[in-house]
Amino acid sequence: MPHLLRFSRETESRLDKLCQQTGMSKAELIERCLDTGMDDLEAQLHMEGASKRPVTQTSLDQLLRESGLGA
């Protein structure tokens, strides 16, 4: 499912440099960042016992804004 992501100029520049260095596409790099970040977040939340807390719905846009990756 496609998503529209907006990155800061700094993040976009870093992503461009990483693409040049690795030969990977932006999509591949973004997917790897999300996979790694989600793995880390899931482990952290599991250790904190977050699985016992009620689940709240947070939009992707809200998560990106809070992380500093979104507009």
Side-chain angles (χ1 to χ4, degrees), residues 17 23 29 31 34 40 53 71:
K17 288 177 187 176
L29 292 171
E31 188 169 341
L34 285 172
D40 291 348
R53 297 181 198 152

Side-chain angles (χ1 to χ4, degrees):
M1 172 183 291
H3 295 280
L4 175 64
L5 300 173
R6 295 180 188 179
F7 299 114
S8 67
R9 287 185 182 136
E10 178 186 351
T11 299
E12 189 72 32
S13 176
R14 291 174 66 192
L15 190 55
D16 287 337
K17 288 177 187 176
L18 200 52
C19 285
Q20 291 173 355
Q21 292 172 350
T22 64
M24 297 173 68
S25 70
K26 285 183 181 181
E28 291 173 304
L29 292 171
I30 291 168
E31 188 169 341
R32 285 186 70 173
C33 286
L34 285 172
D35 286 343
T36 302
M38 289 183 70
D39 288 345
D40 291 348
L41 181 59
E42 287 169 342
Q44 177 185 354
L45 293 175
H46 180 71
M47 288 174 47
E48 293 174 1
S51 60
K52 297 178 185 176
R53 297 181 198 152
V55 176
T56 58
Q57 295 292 329
T58 304
S59 70
L60 178 58
D61 288 337
Q62 180 67 28
L63 290 172
L64 290 171
R65 277 194 298 276
E66 290 173 3
S67 70
L69 296 174

